[in-house]
Amino acid sequence: MLLKKLALLLMVLSATLFGARFGIDNIGRIVRLTDPQIAPDGKSIAIVVSRTNYEEDRYDPELVLIDVATHNQRTLTRDRRGVSQARWSPDGSRLAFLATVDTRTQIFVLPMTGGDAWQVTKSPTGIQQYAWRPGASNEIAYVASDEAPKVTGEERHNRAFEIQNNHFLLQEAPRPAHVWLIAADGKSAARRLTSGAWTLPVSLPPGAPSSPLSWSPDGKRLAIVKVASPYTGDGDKAAVQLLDVDSGNVRPLTGRTLNESQPVFSPDGSRIAHWYPRDGENRNVNEIYIGPANGGDTASVTRALDRNVQRVIWMPGGKSMLVSANDGTTTGLWIQPLEGAARRIDMGKVVATAGFWLDASVGPKGEIALTGSEPERPAELYYLASPDYRVERLTDYNHETTTLELGRSETVQWDSDGFHMDGVVTYPPGFVAGKKYPMVLYIHGGPRSASKQAFSSRAQLLAAQGWIVFEPNYRGSDNLGNAFQAGIWNDAGAGPGRDVMAGVAALERRGFVDAAKMGVSGWSYGGYMTTWLLGNYPEKWKAAVAGAAVTDWLDQYNYGDANVRRGSAFGGSPYTDAKRMQAYREQSPIYYASKIQAPTLILSDTGDFRVPITQSFQLYHALVDNGVPAQFIAYPVTGHSPSDPIHSRDIDRRWIAWLGKYLAP
């Protein structure tokens, strides 16, 4: 009893003298900001602000208007579900947005002079995305999936469908998505602009959003992406098309048939910029290609940048573009002219939000609005009056988090197999030099992603337990150029594993790591690296957390949403070449699972279309059959990771509890 009282007293004194540490409850109080949109007059910014609602197990979004000059805020929507994609009308008099009605997403338009928003669409399948038509046409183009065919009689009970290149969770044949046009007042019926067995792209998260509709400035054409079929495994069969709105004629921009995406008309309508992988190879970085808007060859303008470019937004005047990419342990922003070298924008310690896509918009005079975080501050709204101005923070929604005692983070660098690479280390609050601490690896997924020196709630949560947190960027990450990203081709585990272990060794040489108490953890490809390291360096780890872990590349090829597209990482199908089949097996962590020694927590969604839960079942049985302590927790939700706050909180709780059980003094 006396020891308990002393422990409680120490906790109170610690909180009083040093401040409270970051905990799971603090995660639920973080306010989320997304999709800033600068008004056509440049004076205000519309942004979606979401707060956690644990009672209803959801995030409640509101549309907020922020005055650039005064920072004053005005809430535009209340008690609407699923608010997203705010977009200004060309004249700035109205603001459209998406919201949920009877489980379907529809377009609403809000007059900025006052009054309630009106519902524009009543799509039976819901709206995926939309774009205002330029000029005074008062029309909106949108994308929606086709309805299922109507069947009567006895055949209405027949639910059989053909399996093609799609994930194993499919319950019906996927339907194509097409373009429609509707008056912004919603008083007339929508007009279909495209049809057919092909589809506009549909993105399943995590990943960049579906290629947005892009209007020509004269409002006569739309730049879209045509995908051969709605089956997700065929998603690489994508090419930019030009749609004539009045005639409905669709023709290709270039002669390519694969891997084109994200077309954007220039401000004068003479050019189109779009995504395309370097030299057409999926293993390579994404580049921005530009060509004439009437069709013809396009060529890369970002080759010299040598980064996996995530976003392109034309600057006013059309002589340059804002482009972004992961760069080291931050998000790089550049002004890329049509010819010549890109110019880096100085963001200081602000890391722009760019999980597969830069969350930003550009104003009429070259202003830039974006969401971003700092190492000890969750995401806020930031603003640059021009690319040459200093970045300014406009909001302070997450001030509470900055008052806590957080772990300090820094970028670390090391060498492995001829690569000079980096990662992020977060130290526990109150870190004392010369003292040894348990260390936990928190490995990013993707693998085309990067750990950055930005605010990370999970890294802070782990550090608050008194652990060093190491987030390594291994080959295959998209933050250090084409050779680094492509270095993972047909070498999914061994090379990246050596990279991670070289980083671990570099930190051990600093003298603050307790080598007898190291844990490894990650989600998705981070789960893959976790299970690879467990089986290939078995004596190194005290405990592990494997979330949505890829353990078997054959399962990925056969069952996941990208399925056959995964073959490009190995050079093709495993079923057409015996050596290639062996490569799939040898690069699968399940091949080495019998060597695992560390107690492992396995986490997965039952409805995970990206990394099928079958792979977690394999890992669980391999561990239990070999006497390794293991716990397998499944979340009965759809998606690659839980998107609701209750299950997300449960993951955090289990993550730290499992590691704490084996890393505690």
Side-chain angles (χ1 to χ4, degrees):
M1 180 63 72
L2 179 59
L3 288 175
K4 289 184 178 180
K5 289 183 178 180
L6 286 172
L8 180 61
L9 179 61
L10 285 172
M11 289 174 60
V12 173
L13 286 172
S14 177
T16 303
L17 294 173
F18 304 109
R21 290 190 176 189
F22 187 80
I24 289 175
D25 290 343
N26 299 112
I27 295 177
R29 292 196 286 272
I30 291 176
V31 179
R32 301 179 171 197
L33 285 78
T34 57
D35 204 5
Q37 296 293 316
I38 302 177
D41 64 6
K43 294 181 180 179
S44 58
I45 302 168
I47 191 167
V48 177
V49 178
S50 301
R51 293 175 172 84
T52 303
N53 182 341
Y54 282 123
E55 182 63 30
E56 300 297 331
D57 191 23
R58 67 180 185 230
Y59 297 101
D60 289 336
E62 294 177 332
L63 193 55
V64 176
L65 190 67
I66 297 176
D67 185 273
V68 172
T70 65
H71 302 187
N72 289 338
Q73 301 177 10
R74 177 161 64 100
T75 301
L76 301 176
T77 61
R78 297 184 187 277
D79 299 324
R80 287 192 183 273
R81 301 286 176 258
V83 171
S84 65
Q85 285 190 39
R87 298 293 182 266
W88 293 95
S89 64
D91 63 1
S93 65
R94 291 153 295 171
L95 187 64
F97 60 91
L98 298 182
T100 302
V101 179
D102 297 328
T103 73
R104 304 295 185 191
T105 301
Q106 306 292 349
I107 300 173
F108 288 77
V109 170
L110 178 70
M112 300 310 292
T113 54
D116 294 332
W118 63 83
Q119 183 176 338
V120 176
T121 60
K122 295 182 180 179
S123 170
T125 62
I127 307 300
Q128 296 173 12
Q129 55 154 306
Y130 69 98
W132 287 89
R133 190 173 192 174
S137 63
N138 197 40
E139 291 180 313
I140 295 173
Y142 67 84
V143 178
S145 294
D146 289 351
E147 291 185 78
K150 299 292 192 294
V151 180
T152 59
E154 294 176 351
E155 279 300 300
R156 73 185 187 278
H157 302 297
N158 186 351
R159 299 178 60 200
F161 66 98
E162 182 181 1
I163 294 293
Q164 296 184 34
N165 292 332
N166 226 82
H167 59 81
F168 83 120
L169 294 169
L170 205 64
Q171 294 295 305
E172 61 180 0
R175 296 186 296 276
H178 283 287
V179 187
W180 297 72
L181 189 69
I182 192 169
D185 59 14
K187 295 181 179 179
S188 58
R191 176 166 67 95
R192 177 189 279 270
L193 299 183
T194 65
S195 61
W198 62 273
T199 183
L200 274 76
V202 178
S203 177
L204 299 178
S210 299
S211 189
L213 299 171
S214 178
W215 281 99
S216 61
D218 61 9
K220 295 182 179 180
R221 294 183 295 172
L222 278 165
I224 63 174
V225 172
K226 180 179 180 180
V227 183
S229 88
Y231 287 84
T232 54
D234 295 334
D236 58 341
K237 299 179 177 67
V240 175
Q241 308 286 313
L242 298 172
L243 165 64
D244 184 275
V245 173
D246 289 337
S247 69
N249 180 56
V250 177
R251 62 183 178 86
L253 177 71
T254 71
R256 304 186 189 100
T257 58
L258 296 172
N259 298 321
E260 290 186 337
S261 186
Q262 309 284 341
V264 186
F265 272 102
S266 63
D268 65 0
S270 66
R271 298 179 177 89
I272 287 180
H274 67 89
W275 289 9
Y276 191 63
R278 178 178 294 186
D279 303 325
E281 293 286 345
N282 280 328
R283 75 184 77 171
N284 290 339
V285 295
N286 189 62
E287 296 182 336
I288 302 304
Y289 281 61
I290 293 181
N294 289 327
D297 292 337
T298 60
S300 173
V301 295
T302 59
R303 179 67 57 98
L305 199 58
D306 194 29
R307 288 294 184 269
N308 190 46
V309 180
Q310 304 161 315
R311 184 84 190 271
V312 55
I313 306 175
W314 286 95
M315 298 299 288
K319 297 184 182 302
S320 63
M321 298 158 287
L322 172 67
V323 300
S324 68
N326 290 333
D327 186 39
T329 56
T330 189
T331 302
L333 302 180
W334 295 266
I335 298 299
Q336 173 68 63
L338 296 179
E339 296 181 1
R343 175 169 53 90
R344 180 71 176 262
I345 297 175
D346 182 8
M347 294 295 294
K349 62 180 181 178
V350 177
V351 180
T353 305
F356 309 103
W357 173 265
L358 178 68
D359 193 27
S361 68
V362 171
K365 298 180 180 178
E367 313 97 314
I368 300 173
L370 56 88
T371 61
S373 72
E374 300 173 39
E376 297 181 1
R377 179 186 292 274
E380 300 285 359
L381 174 63
Y382 292 86
Y383 176 81
L384 295 91
S386 85
D388 298 318
Y389 274 61
R390 186 172 181 174
V391 63
E392 175 187 6
R393 179 168 52 81
L394 299 187
T395 62
D396 195 23
Y397 283 103
N398 290 306
H399 174 76
E400 177 186 325
T401 301
T402 67
T403 66
L404 302 172
E405 188 187 12
L406 299 173
R408 175 180 62 86
S409 66
E410 69 174 6
T411 295
V412 294
Q413 299 179 343
W414 67 95
D415 294 311
S416 172
D417 290 358
F419 291 113
H420 186 67
M421 56 193 61
D422 58 25
V424 178
V425 170
T426 302
Y427 298 94
F431 173 79
V432 177
K435 180 181 176 182
K436 290 186 181 293
Y437 295 84
M439 185 167 76
V440 174
L441 275 63
Y442 177 39
I443 307 176
H444 73 74
R448 291 188 190 179
S449 182
S451 292
K452 305 177 190 179
Q453 201 176 339
F455 182 84
S456 168
S457 59
R458 184 157 292 150
Q460 288 292 344
L461 185 62
L462 294 169
Q465 313 309 310
W467 307 329
I468 301 285
V469 183
F470 179 35
E471 301 174 80
N473 290 320
Y474 46 90
R475 76 187 73 175
S477 303
D478 65 355
N479 63 324
L480 292 173
N482 190 67
F484 190 63
Q485 175 178 301
I488 203 171
W489 186 84
N490 205 24
D491 185 15
R498 291 194 299 273
D499 298 341
V500 173
M501 296 310 297
V504 170
L507 292 180
E508 287 180 304
R509 288 192 292 270
R510 293 191 177 193
F512 51 65
V513 175
D514 184 346
K517 292 184 179 178
M518 284 201 291
V520 59
S521 63
W523 196 275
S524 191
Y525 210 93
Y528 169 85
M529 286 306 305
T530 293
T531 52
W532 178 272
L533 294 171
L534 286 172
N536 284 272
Y537 304 89
E539 297 179 358
K540 197 72 178 176
W541 314 108
K542 193 76 172 177
V545 178
V550 176
T551 66
D552 187 338
W553 285 115
L554 288 174
D555 272 19
Q556 278 297 101
Y557 183 89
N558 293 324
Y559 305 136
D561 64 327
N563 51 68
V564 298
R565 282 188 285 142
R566 296 288 181 192
S568 64
F570 296 88
S573 167
Y575 300 113
T576 59
D577 185 285
K579 290 184 178 179
R580 196 178 298 133
M581 172 64 83
Q582 187 64 18
Y584 273 73
R585 289 170 173 162
E586 290 179 351
Q587 295 175 48
S588 295
I590 201 68
Y591 193 80
Y592 312 95
S594 62
K595 300 178 182 179
I596 295 175
Q597 301 175 16
T600 301
L601 172 65
I602 303 168
L603 305 169
S604 184
D605 291 1
T606 59
D608 190 344
F609 43 71
R610 184 65 42 83
V611 180
I613 195 173
T614 55
Q615 303 183 63
S616 291
F617 273 94
Q618 290 185 56
L619 178 62
Y620 177 71
H621 287 294
L623 297 180
V624 171
D625 292 353
N626 282 282
V628 178
Q631 186 178 33
F632 184 6
I633 303 298
Y635 297 94
V637 297
T638 298
H640 187 41
S641 61
S643 59
D644 65 294
I646 293 295
H647 288 124
S648 298
R649 182 175 63 182
D650 187 77
I651 287 174
D652 284 326
R653 283 175 173 167
R654 293 180 185 277
W655 203 301
I656 60 175
W658 184 267
L659 293 174
K661 180 179 179 180
Y662 298 98
L663 299 182

